[in-house]
Amino acid sequence: MAGSITTPVDDGGGVRKRSSSLTSFSSSSSSSSSSSAASGLAIPVVVHDDLNDTSPLLTPSPSPSSSPRKRKIIRGSHFTPRALAVGLLVGLIICFSNMYFGLQTGWVSTMTMPASLLGFGIFRLLRDRLGDLPFSPVENVLVQTVAGSMAIMPLGCGFVGVVPAMEYLLREEEMGPVRMGLWRGCVWGVGLCFFGVVFAVPLRRQVLIREQLKFPSGFSTAVLISVLHGQTKGVEEAGGERKNPHGFASLVGDDESSYGGEEVRDGEEEDNKKSEGWKRNVRLLIVCFLLSGISTFATYFLPVLRNIPIFGSVAASTWLWTLNPSLAYVGQGIIMGPATTLHMLLGAVVGWGVLSPLAKNKGWAPGPVSDWEHGSKGWIVWVSLAIMLADSVVSLGYLAFRSVRLYWPRMKGVLPKSVRNLLPGGRQGYASLLTTDSSSESEDGGPLLAETEEEKEHDDAPPDQQISNKVVSIGLAASIIFCVGCIHYVFGDLVPLYATITAVFMALVLSIMGVRALGETDLNPVSGISKLAQLFFAFIIPQSNKSSVLINLVAGAVSEAGALQAGDLMQDLKTGHLLGAAPKAQFWGQVIGATAGAVASAFIYQLYTSVYTIPGDLFQVPTGYVWIFTARLVTGEGLPPMAKEWAVGAALLFAVTTAARTSMTRTKRLQALVPGGIAVAVGMYNVPSFTLARTIGGLLSWWWRSYKGWQDTPLIVLASGFILGEGFLSIVNLIMQSAGVPHL
């Protein structure tokens, strides 16, 4: 359930933040390289090409464009087996990494920008074998789309949160535990991975073409790909006085010599600069990968390195105040940034430094501090849950209000004239949405589209490269039926069909808010969405139903999966839109990547749970406890002593702070000073060792940016190397653990 450059997601802690914008296009372009002129000539493909009937994605063939606008030339094929294979390979590595970190703290990242860099690096090494088929920017879009869709499936399928809650935390009187096993885990995962993807397609025209929402992570990834492939002129135009920097292929320069990054350069000096910049990034990635991997390997033999008692032995043993000096968690902090990590540190101080000793000393949590059931560790989770629920209700409520206010004029426009005249605003239709005075009313009182709106309709991929309405209609119906059928197969009569169907349709509605939030703020509030679904199902499922807690968990998981998949595809579609990639190719790439990711996640989850103790010292699955505690809370289970009073007080306080933050969208500096509810809650339910390491990373990112003048790109590379190094070497530790290699 939740920060930018790669995409962190903190399940249960709820913020899923893809990335922050690149701060300097020119600096990025000077430190990165093209795909290499030595690779051969790029294949020209006109953007309005029709697709061959025998191979609708692989082989473009020219046909005239119906659009009056001049179409830019997009070089390379939009969908190729080699890009698909590389995307699956990179996605598998990130998937392993996400499962490891997700089971530890709930943190998951799609890492689309590192995926683009890795894909570019792989093809760069193979450039002499590519001949006349150089690696193109639109292929790189496919690589990051496939990799990102595969990478998020440990979270999207619930394997880092809701599934451990069902398997290990659900009591017998709650019809648990529910053991899925490998086969049912695969069925469960595949069932959840389609409907959100299909539903995102009809939202694309509204949020990308008409409203042109920013989607900062998608924009940043597009800029990185442009720089890597030498499309620096398009980047400069997008950052300058360009009429529409968010238009179709806006990062593709008008000068034909700027396309593809494979053509002859103006001079060897420029090419050498770009080559040196790319090599620096790759060296930095490799060095950080190795450093993090070596430290991870060392922690297997010296587990004490995961918990260093920096505040003394008493604070460590009694109150769990230790430091985990993991470079991966430092990298996560670099990605999240100083504001988020400091808010998390505030949550840790309040939760583990104030509330935990208070609950222990007052007898409200008499058990050991580390006990989830009777200790203060479990007691403070109720407070963090209240904070997350308050933050979710206020922020999503505000977003829903804005959406209604935005679409209400348009909705009035389709009503009959006699009805419309009775409503406030009379005959104004949806003219208030238009930013030009050139609109006029039609005969029945509705306004005609202004010229700027008509231009926006044309500022899109050619129709033959878009997903057809027939595919969307059939796909959405089939994916919903498939999801309902898979859930019924896994749980049988424990989860009634009407509850599953309700959960799916609620997920579709909530995913609209998730997509809009992601486009405007770069945050996909999937944890808040799942909490709202759990809260809603507490009202429609009677508490007398013995499966009420299980049904509640399933409903939240379905809502989270839908919002996560829809948001992820929309970010990728933004990237492709700016680079002129075919939405159809990205859609099928997302479907393939999500399917592979669901199956791979089920396998990886079974590997970890068969070797390690879940929950245990290494994998505490805190988000599993967040899920189960939320389900019990909303279904009427009693709270520990005084937890209700403190939870209500915290909820009221953070309802006010969240309202204040939402009103400060134009004053980012002031907004950063107001604690974010989700970040505080994450710092509260995770043990301090992880939060301290993340805070170090957040402060380092601030120091490097403010005093060293580092741009976002090298920081992305550095943080990604740290994260991928530990995630990849954790596989080695997993093998050693299963083989019984002794610890020192």
Side-chain angles (χ1 to χ4, degrees), residues 330-640:
V330 173
Q332 292 174 15
I334 292 172
I335 288 171
M336 294 175 179
T340 299
T341 53
L342 288 174
H343 295 164
M344 291 170 61
L345 180 63
L346 174 64
V349 171
V350 172
W352 296 93
V354 178
L355 295 181
S356 177
L358 181 65
K360 176 74 172 178
N361 294 330
K362 291 286 187 179
W364 304 333
V369 172
S370 59
D371 189 343
W372 282 99
E373 295 292 334
H374 306 290
S376 57
K377 186 177 187 177
W379 192 90
I380 61 177
V381 166
W382 296 105
V383 180
S384 69
L385 275 178
I387 293 172
M388 282 192 287
L389 284 171
D391 185 281
S392 301
V393 171
V394 173
S395 59
L396 293 177
Y398 172 76
L399 184 62
F401 171 76
R402 285 191 63 232
S403 299
V404 170
R405 191 174 66 173
L406 174 67
Y407 290 113
W408 175 240
R410 190 176 294 258
M411 292 163 60
K412 288 197 299 183
V414 300
L415 296 175
K417 179 180 178 182
S418 57
V419 176
R420 190 166 58 245
N421 288 339
L422 298 176
L423 298 174
R427 294 167 51 90
Q428 290 179 359
Y430 55 90
S432 59
L433 289 179
L434 302 177
T435 57
T436 177
D437 295 331
S438 62
S439 60
S440 60
E441 287 189 314
S442 63
E443 213 172 44
D444 65 350
L448 297 173
L449 285 176
E451 181 65 23
T452 55
E453 293 295 322
E454 293 178 357
E455 289 178 357
K456 287 182 181 178
E457 293 297 320
H458 291 301
D459 194 18
D460 195 4
D464 57 286
Q465 293 184 2
Q466 298 187 32
I467 306 98
S468 68
N469 293 332
K470 181 178 179 181
V471 170
V472 173
S473 302
I474 296 175
L476 186 59
S479 62
I480 291 174
I481 295 171
F482 183 67
C483 177
V484 173
C486 287
I487 292 176
H488 185 70
Y489 174 83
V490 172
F491 298 103
D493 294 333
L494 291 176
V495 180
L497 285 175
Y498 80 88
T500 306
I501 295 172
T502 304
V504 172
F505 282 97
M506 185 177 183
L508 297 180
V509 175
L510 292 176
S511 66
I512 298 175
M513 291 192 291
V515 166
R516 290 197 60 82
L518 189 63
E520 294 176 5
T521 68
D522 215 23
L523 303 175
N524 192 346
V526 291
S527 72
I529 286 172
S530 63
K531 297 292 182 294
L532 288 180
Q534 288 184 274
L535 189 61
F536 175 77
F537 267 77
F539 291 103
I540 68 172
I541 302 297
Q543 296 179 14
S544 58
N545 190 324
K546 293 183 178 180
S547 302
S548 60
V549 174
L550 176 61
I551 296 170
N552 196 277
L553 292 173
V554 171
V558 171
S559 295
E560 181 179 70
L564 187 64
Q565 288 286 342
D568 183 67
L569 178 59
M570 202 62 68
Q571 284 276 27
D572 295 334
L573 288 174
K574 178 69 173 185
T575 301
H577 181 72
L578 298 173
L579 293 170
K584 184 190 295 185
Q586 288 187 267
F587 171 77
W588 290 113
Q590 182 90 7
V591 169
I592 294 171
T595 306
V599 175
S601 296
F603 273 92
I604 298 169
Y605 176 77
Q606 290 300 318
L607 282 175
Y608 276 112
T609 55
S610 63
V611 173
Y612 294 98
T613 301
I614 306 290
D617 291 336
L618 182 59
F619 298 113
Q620 301 182 25
V621 289
T623 53
Y625 284 97
V626 170
W627 274 98
I628 198 73
F629 281 15
T630 303
R632 290 169 182 166
L633 173 66
V634 298
T635 53
E637 178 172 307
L639 276 65

Side-chain angles (χ1 to χ4, degrees), residues 206-405:
Q206 178 64 34
V207 299
L208 292 189
I209 309 303
R210 295 194 179 106
E211 298 182 50
Q212 297 185 347
L213 297 185
K214 295 178 180 180
F215 288 95
S217 294
F219 189 89
S220 297
T221 304
V223 170
L224 177 63
I225 293 174
S226 295
V227 171
L228 288 173
H229 291 266
Q231 296 184 168
T232 54
K233 184 170 182 178
V235 173
E236 291 165 359
E237 289 174 345
E241 300 297 326
R242 196 171 179 82
K243 179 181 179 181
N244 185 8
H246 295 281
F248 182 69
S250 61
L251 292 184
V252 178
D254 291 326
D255 183 358
E256 191 170 322
S257 66
S258 69
Y259 295 151
E262 303 292 345
E263 60 284 336
V264 178
R265 302 291 167 190
D266 292 336
E268 293 184 3
E269 183 177 353
E270 180 185 356
D271 191 52
N272 289 337
K273 282 184 179 180
K274 296 180 184 300
S275 180
E276 282 302 314
W278 179 82
K279 289 178 181 178
R280 280 196 302 271
N281 284 331
V282 171
R283 282 196 298 266
L284 180 60
L285 181 70
I286 293 174
V287 169
C288 294
F289 182 95
L290 292 176
L291 287 175
S292 182
I294 292 171
S295 66
T296 303
F297 186 74
T299 60
Y300 179 86
F301 296 101
L302 298 171
V304 69
L305 294 177
R306 297 194 189 103
N307 291 287
I308 298 177
I310 59 173
F311 299 111
S313 59
V314 175
S317 59
T318 304
W319 305 110
L320 307 185
W321 275 94
T322 61
L323 171 66
N324 183 351
S326 162
L327 291 177
Y329 285 102
V330 173
Q332 292 174 15
I334 292 172
I335 288 171
M336 294 175 179
T340 299
T341 53
L342 288 174
H343 295 164
M344 291 170 61
L345 180 63
L346 174 64
V349 171
V350 172
W352 296 93
V354 178
L355 295 181
S356 177
L358 181 65
K360 176 74 172 178
N361 294 330
K362 291 286 187 179
W364 304 333
V369 172
S370 59
D371 189 343
W372 282 99
E373 295 292 334
H374 306 290
S376 57
K377 186 177 187 177
W379 192 90
I380 61 177
V381 166
W382 296 105
V383 180
S384 69
L385 275 178
I387 293 172
M388 282 192 287
L389 284 171
D391 185 281
S392 301
V393 171
V394 173
S395 59
L396 293 177
Y398 172 76
L399 184 62
F401 171 76
R402 285 191 63 232
S403 299
V404 170
R405 191 174 66 173

